Amino acid sequence: MSAPNAQPAQILEQPDSPWQDDSQLQLKPSAFNALRPIHVAGTKGKGSTSAFISSILAQYQKPAVDGQPTVGKIGLYTSPHLRSVRERIQINNAPISEEVFARYFFSTWDRLEESARKKGEPPTDVSSKPVYFRFLTLMAFHTYLEEGIDTAIIEAGIGGEYDSTNVILRPSITAITSLGIDHVAMLGNTIEEIAWHKAGIMKPFIPLYTVPQPDGAMAVLEKRAKEKDVEITVVERHPALQHIKLGLAADFQKTNASLAIAVAAAHLRKLGFKEIPEDINTTSTLPEEFRRGLENVQWGGRCETRKEGNLTWFIDGGHTLESIKIAGEWYASELRGMYPPSLHPSNIKRVLVFNQQTRDAVELAKALHETLTKAVNNHDGTEAQGGVGRRRLFSHVIFCSNITFKEKGYKPDLVSLNASGQDVQDLTVQKTLAKAWPEIEGGGGEENSEGTTTTVEVLPTIEHAVEYIRDLARKGEHGGKSEVEEKEGEEVVVLVTGSLHLVGGLLEVLESKNEGK
């Protein structure tokens, strides 16, 4: 299969990229081989998989004794960030400090300007700097080389073939997570086109690990692997995960964890850890280091639960049709564990906080509602839609913008330039969602079996939404009154989803409120 479209190459990687030679940062792509990089691409779960890999490898960080192998310093480069841009460039599973970030930011910036001067070009001209993601990728590689990173796990941004991370010549291992439809403007409208781009991270004679894929996608991966003399290993769910509580909740994370086990094991064997079994992908038990890594991994904003008294937050940054369905399934499974046998006990308020500023927000909201409706009906046989005698999925639905704070506006790290500033200011998307919700829910404004209608709110910022919900929780604690009759001891459960920008802003507000800022 040939390149579906030449346009993504023009968008994502120009021929005169700084990667083509050492003229801008005095680096050649061959220098990155020293990082022993693990390159991860995919549509779903590539960040979680990368985090699992890093956490497993961290268990093997120990001083080298008598020539025994060790992992050394670990770099983890991922995107996007949730609260701080420094999260993208991690060392030993922690974001680099503000001091370190500033040092390498300006080192990269200054070298780019010096390169422009040598070429006789204006150093401050916009053309002398790569765009945002490319700059951070450049800076990450520069940071890792300067900091003496021994293994770097690099998550691709968009696609793979033309992604700015795809300058690695000799990775240790490559991996492709679950594939689906996303970024169609750049990658194509079909799973086959998208698979072609993701397969671009394959390098001759370097093993590739992947998970079961749709038939069309797998056929493309196999064809490209043959062209590049790459051996593909398809990793099934690991049997040992039935008895391990992963640090990342949700059933689908077992697929990501299984891929991470295979990749980490292959990399460790390359480093000389001969005790790692060749058949680790199918063994009934795992080394204790692997278990610890899987249990201790942290990856904020992905299937994350937070508790504040009688208020429970369920937080997931799902923002595609497939990931929003997965978020809904996870939320439903968590409620099943908390409130058996019914997902809808009468003494809890169920709140949805939702936004999606750049995609088809209404379609995503519909997909979420359909997933939850199916989960509820399968669980307790009750129709969870509109109409008298039926139960609604949520007592309150809040559509807010991604603006972080009421007075200060966006936290600088959380500004998105992809959304229309005017639409955000006018709450255009949020008002559209609020208008569409009764139809999504079914039954319009009819009362449900609890004698109430769903309360739908449009709020200008994330901080407004948090205050609204915490007020609901306070009234529930004290048996007070809200728009609807509150019961003493009432709990509030909140699902926050639809956007990583929303989730990042929410975490910022929750943390700042908890810290009294």
Side-chain angles (χ1 to χ4, degrees):
M1 182 175 182
S2 60
N5 193 329
Q7 188 179 9
Q10 299 164 4
I11 295 172
L12 298 174
E13 197 61 78
Q14 299 291 343
D16 59 349
S17 157
W19 302 118
Q20 300 303 314
D21 56 40
D22 64 351
S23 62
Q24 290 191 292
L25 277 192
Q26 292 77 52
L27 291 175
K28 291 185 177 181
S30 57
F32 308 142
N33 296 343
L35 301 175
R36 295 186 285 202
I38 297 170
H39 203 184
V40 181
T43 306
K44 297 170 289 184
K46 54 186 175 154
S48 299
T49 300
S50 298
F52 274 124
I53 295 169
S54 185
S55 184
I56 292 170
L57 295 182
Q59 310 311 310
Y60 289 86
Q61 286 179 309
K62 49 192 175 184
V65 179
D66 297 329
Q68 294 297 311
T70 185
V71 170
K73 294 173 75 172
I74 301 169
L76 176 62
Y77 178 62
T78 60
S79 62
H81 60 272
L82 287 178
R83 297 181 60 194
S84 166
V85 67
R86 295 181 292 107
E87 297 166 17
R88 296 179 181 234
I89 306 175
Q90 299 194 23
I91 295 178
N92 292 336
N93 292 311
I96 59 176
S97 67
E98 291 183 355
E99 178 187 357
V100 171
F101 184 91
R103 181 194 315 153
Y104 291 115
F105 176 93
F106 286 109
S107 173
T108 303
W109 188 273
D110 292 344
R111 290 191 185 196
L112 290 169
E113 292 203 341
E114 180 59 28
S115 173
R117 289 189 188 93
K118 290 180 178 178
K119 293 179 180 179
E121 300 170 354
T124 58
D125 189 83
V126 66
S127 63
S128 71
K129 313 293 189 307
V131 294
Y132 182 76
F133 182 76
R134 288 191 215 167
F135 183 92
L136 289 176
T137 302
L138 191 64
M139 177 181 160
F141 280 118
H142 178 45
T143 302
Y144 291 157
L145 288 171
E146 292 295 315
E147 291 292 315
I149 296 300
D150 296 286
T151 293
I153 300 124
I154 306 295
E155 178 197 351
I158 296 176
E161 179 73 31
Y162 302 121
D163 188 70
S164 55
T165 64
N166 198 28
V167 294
I168 301 166
L169 300 180
R170 296 291 298 173
S172 170
I173 305 289
T174 58
I176 295 178
T177 64
S178 299
L179 296 178
I181 304 297
D182 197 17
H183 298 295
V184 294
M186 293 183 177
L187 305 182
N189 296 300
T190 69
I191 195 71
E192 290 81 9
E193 289 175 305
I194 289 169
W196 186 92
H197 281 278
K198 305 295 184 180
I201 68 166
M202 294 180 184
K203 298 298 183 293
F205 309 109
I206 302 298
L208 171 82
Y209 290 83
T210 190
V211 297
Q213 305 286 3
D215 291 344
M218 186 57 72
V220 173
L221 295 184
E222 290 172 346
K223 184 175 186 297
R224 296 211 72 189
K226 186 176 181 180
E227 294 168 353
K228 297 188 178 188
D229 290 312
V230 169
E231 179 182 354
I232 295 182
T233 299
V234 179
V235 180
E236 303 288 343
R237 284 202 175 187
H238 200 288
L241 296 181
Q242 299 177 29
H243 312 292
I244 296 175
K245 185 177 181 180
L246 298 176
L248 301 180
D251 182 70
F252 72 89
Q253 291 290 2
K254 292 178 182 178
T255 298
N256 298 328
S258 299
L259 181 59
I261 290 168
V263 171
H267 182 71
L268 287 168
R269 286 193 293 269
K270 279 195 168 187
L271 296 183
F273 288 86
K274 297 179 181 179
E275 69 270 25
I276 306 297
E278 291 283 348
D279 62 347
I280 194 170
N281 298 340
T282 57
T283 55
S284 58
T285 60
L286 288 170
E288 181 57 32
E289 292 88 348
F290 277 69
R291 294 180 64 93
R292 281 202 309 269
L294 295 169
E295 292 170 347
N296 297 337
V297 67
Q298 295 182 342
W299 199 238
R302 283 80 168 181
C303 298
E304 180 178 356
T305 303
R306 293 191 174 209
K307 185 80 173 170
E308 299 177 3
N310 66 324
L311 169 59
T312 305
W313 300 91
F314 295 97
I315 306 166
D316 187 81
H319 55 281
T320 67
L321 285 172
E322 290 177 270
S323 62
I324 206 78
K325 290 176 183 177
I326 290 171
E329 290 166 356
W330 163 71
Y331 169 72
S333 69
E334 291 295 303
L335 285 194
R336 276 195 289 271
M338 291 174 64
Y339 304 109
S342 173
L343 292 185
H344 290 278
S346 59
N347 66 330
I348 67 169
K349 284 278 173 262
R350 304 172 303 277
V351 185
L352 171 65
V353 180
F354 185 89
N355 191 41
Q356 174 47 245
Q357 208 66 46
T358 59
R359 301 166 190 259
D360 191 332
V362 173
E363 283 303 308
L364 285 178
K366 284 181 181 177
L368 176 64
H369 191 275
E370 289 169 1
T371 299
L372 289 174
T373 299
K374 182 178 179 181
V376 172
N377 291 345
N378 288 344
H379 181 65
D380 60 18
T382 303
E383 290 191 56
Q385 302 188 86
V388 176
R390 302 178 184 184
R391 293 174 175 176
R392 295 192 183 276
L393 294 173
F394 301 102
S395 57
H396 297 71
V397 175
I398 298 171
F399 300 115
C400 66
S401 76
N402 291 337
I403 297 175
T404 320
F405 297 108
K406 294 191 297 185
E407 296 181 4
K408 295 185 290 185
Y410 285 107
K411 180 186 177 184
D413 294 59
L414 300 177
V415 175
S416 173
L417 300 179
N418 295 323
S420 163
Q422 193 61 52
D423 282 352
V424 173
Q425 203 67 34
D426 295 342
L427 298 173
T428 303
V429 171
Q430 292 71 34
K431 292 173 182 175
T432 300
L433 282 164
K435 185 177 179 181
W437 186 257
E439 183 179 346
I440 292 172
E441 195 171 44
E446 299 173 14
E447 291 186 348
N448 59 18
S449 62
E450 297 155 1
T452 64
T453 57
T454 302
T455 300
V456 179
E457 300 282 355
V458 172
L459 299 177
T461 71
I462 297 169
E463 185 178 8
H464 279 98
V466 170
E467 289 183 351
Y468 181 97
I469 293 163
R470 283 177 168 166
D471 187 51
L472 275 181
R474 281 192 294 270
K475 290 174 180 176
E477 271 185 325
H478 300 101
K481 304 278 186 178
S482 181
E483 294 88 344
V484 210
E485 187 76 16
E486 301 283 353
K487 295 182 174 63
E488 189 172 358
E490 189 172 49
E491 293 191 44
V492 178
V493 295
V494 187
L495 172 61
V496 184
T497 192
S499 163
L500 281 169
H501 293 288
L502 171 66
V503 164
L506 175 88
L507 295 176
E508 184 66 26
V509 172
L510 293 182
E511 292 294 330
S512 63
K513 292 285 183 180
N514 290 339
E515 294 163 2
K517 293 180 181 177

